[in-house]
Amino acid sequence: MNATAAPEKRRWTAPYAEAAIDAVVRVPGSKSMTARALVLAALASGPSVIRRPLIARDTLLMVEGLRALGVGVDTGDDDRWTVEPGALKGGTAVDCGLAGTVMRFLPPVAALADGPVAFDGDPHARERPNDGVIKALRDLGVEVEDGGRLALPFTVEAAGAVKGGELAVDASKTSQLVSALLMAAPRFEQGLDLRHVGDRPVPSRPYLDMVVQMLRQAGAEVDDTEPDRWRVAPGELQGREWVIEPDLQNAAPFLLAAVATGGRVTVEGWPVETAQAGDRIRDVITRLGSRVEWSRGGLTVAGSPSLIPTELDLADASELTPALAALFGVDGGPFTIRGVAHIRGHETDRVSALVTELRKLGADVDEFEDGLRVNRGGRAPGTWATYADHRMAHAGAVAGLVVPGLVLDDVACVSKTWPDFAEAWERAVHGDRPEGNGA
């Protein structure tokens, strides 16, 4: 099977936890770090090595997109990818699949190519907003042909260079817009003086900390001392070795499994210091009344299934919303998640999807423009729809721990960030220990 193709749907009965879970889990590399490392390596002046990369549909789509632009990426060794930058070429096409990182990170890179670059993706991807990137490129003087859609499919009519300079954007829908522009900025003739001018703050701020940190590690000069302003000087990015951390967003459902069942789950290799937004889960779990400790070669959660009702603002860690909402939806209440209006534009409208699926379980749920509140949980068996969204599949797995026989209509969508998620989940629930490198 082509690892970058949309996977065939697969129904899956989520494992029911008949006892408290006791598991040690090894999760694959961070999608966010892998994607950024690939882009920075492609724009560098020399070769780079990426150690322990995430091998999943999103990152392989990024690899193929960079190859289409003339970048050499050797993925022959699963634990060590090498990137050989080259002159960026046009007259090519990029398949974005359903990856927001590809549809947003690669157009500014493509603008540096020597000819047109066409972008398209899965049907769901055509519904994802991309007006920010398209408008930003036009404001930088790059012609983009999109038929008036401000979304996929579109073509970047690259002319070999981007002048850069001052640019104002509204990044209130996604922080990926800022990340995309900052990574390409050192290659702009005048660098970039980027301002966010939206009425709402940029969501998921930890991702911006990550991209600034990684740019500096690659030798870029970045000034982010002023709120909502990033100044990147023109200059060369250096090839280097990137070591990818475990993906803490993918790890979160496993830690929540300990909470849901009153068990213990350890995620191996959890970084003591990290810019990943998923690290927020440690604070959330503590607020819910469970214990978090460093032990057993990683981060361990000793779960208390009696949750403390709480209200969470997850604006900076919105990827945690689906799994947490599922945990809340099968427990008591009230539990509230706010600050996540922007996830309506993710792989699906996650707020609406979560409310729909939780109500099918019998939960009493209120929907807000920027989140939801679970007033009372429900545990009615049935089918959980995943909407071609890996996070919705993770949520269904969490709910299935306490809802016997819950069937996910499609678990194959997890290939986006962890093709082996279902198998790893089954091992954790049934008490088996991981084998191999888990990547």
Side-chain angles (χ1 to χ4, degrees):
M1 174 183 171
N2 181 358
T4 61
E8 293 185 10
K9 290 186 175 182
R10 175 164 70 95
R11 289 176 67 84
W12 181 64
T13 301
Y16 174 72
E18 297 180 354
I21 290 177
D22 184 4
V24 178
V25 180
R26 189 172 302 148
V27 301
S30 162
K31 180 196 79 169
S32 302
M33 290 188 70
T34 303
R36 286 162 176 77
L38 282 167
V39 172
L40 293 173
L43 294 172
S45 57
S48 294
V49 172
I50 302 175
R51 295 195 179 275
R52 298 198 289 274
L54 170 67
I55 302 172
R57 189 183 182 214
D58 271 23
T59 53
L60 293 175
L61 283 164
M62 183 70 79
V63 167
E64 291 303 324
L66 291 172
R67 285 172 174 164
L69 291 168
V71 179
V73 187
D74 184 347
T75 58
D77 184 336
D78 286 352
D79 291 322
R80 186 182 185 275
W81 290 356
T82 57
V83 180
E84 290 281 352
L88 297 172
K89 65 178 185 180
T92 189
V94 172
D95 177 10
C96 301
L98 194 53
T101 48
V102 178
M103 63 188 273
R104 298 188 179 114
F105 289 2
L106 289 193
V109 177
L112 299 165
D114 61 3
V117 180
F119 288 82
D120 203 354
D122 294 358
H124 276 285
R126 293 185 172 192
E127 300 172 10
R128 298 191 69 177
N130 211 29
D131 52 315
V133 168
I134 292 172
K135 290 177 180 177
L137 288 177
R138 286 174 175 159
D139 288 346
L140 288 169
V142 180
E143 183 180 345
V144 182
E145 175 53 53
D146 68 336
R149 291 178 296 272
L150 292 175
L152 292 170
F154 59 85
T155 298
V156 176
E157 302 289 351
V162 176
K163 185 177 180 181
E166 295 184 359
L167 177 66
V169 300
D170 180 353
S172 57
K173 291 181 181 178
T174 173
S175 64
Q176 288 181 351
L177 170 58
V178 176
S179 291
L181 294 166
L182 293 185
M183 285 189 288
R187 292 282 298 270
F188 296 168
E189 292 175 352
Q190 296 181 5
L192 187 65
D193 184 350
L194 180 67
R195 292 179 182 269
H196 165 60
V197 295
D199 294 334
R200 298 180 179 179
V202 182
S204 305
R205 289 266 175 170
Y207 291 111
L208 302 184
D209 296 336
M210 177 186 292
V211 78
V212 168
Q213 180 185 78
M214 294 180 72
L215 273 163
R216 288 172 175 157
Q217 289 171 342
E221 184 181 328
V222 185
D223 181 352
D224 63 344
T225 54
E226 184 178 331
D228 291 329
R229 184 181 186 183
W230 300 266
R231 285 175 285 187
V232 182
E236 286 191 351
L237 292 173
Q238 299 158 7
R240 69 186 304 276
E241 179 176 273
W242 299 100
V243 180
I244 307 301
E245 299 171 356
D247 193 310
L248 307 188
Q249 310 274 26
N250 277 336
F254 289 87
L255 297 182
L256 294 179
V259 178
T261 67
R264 287 176 64 85
V265 172
T266 297
V267 174
E268 292 186 336
W270 195 285
V272 176
E273 294 184 7
T274 180
Q276 289 192 61
D279 193 46
R280 172 80 185 281
I281 193 65
R282 296 189 294 127
D283 170 64
V284 170
I285 287 174
T286 300
R287 288 183 61 181
L288 295 176
S290 293
R291 191 170 74 252
V292 178
E293 58 193 39
W294 298 97
S295 65
R296 303 168 78 181
L299 186 80
T300 297
V301 167
S304 170
S306 299
L307 304 187
I308 299 173
T310 189
E311 178 169 338
L312 300 171
D313 184 332
L314 294 180
D316 284 344
S318 61
E319 293 281 323
L320 301 177
T321 300
L324 278 166
L327 176 68
F328 298 156
V330 296
D331 202 275
F335 299 103
T336 305
I337 297 174
R338 302 299 293 259
V340 295
H342 56 286
I343 70 173
R344 291 184 180 276
H346 282 196
E347 284 78 350
T348 188
D349 179 339
R350 286 179 175 167
V351 175
S352 176
L354 286 165
V355 169
T356 298
E357 298 311 307
L358 293 177
R359 286 175 176 167
K360 283 163 57 177
L361 295 179
D364 176 12
V365 187
D366 296 328
E367 180 176 352
F368 311 122
E369 190 271 336
D370 73 332
L372 55 89
R373 177 172 60 236
V374 176
N375 301 303
R376 185 191 66 253
R379 299 190 179 186
T383 300
W384 178 279
T386 60
Y387 304 81
D389 185 340
H390 60 144
R391 302 297 182 208
M392 288 298 296
H394 295 171
V398 171
L401 292 169
V402 296
V403 179
L406 186 66
V407 175
L408 276 62
D409 70 343
D410 174 33
V411 77
C413 58
V414 298
S415 66
K416 178 179 174 67
T417 54
W418 190 356
D420 297 329
F421 168 81
E423 292 73 22
W425 189 261
E426 290 169 355
R427 287 196 301 269
V429 176
H430 297 315
D432 295 329
R433 293 296 185 263
E435 296 180 0
N437 63 11

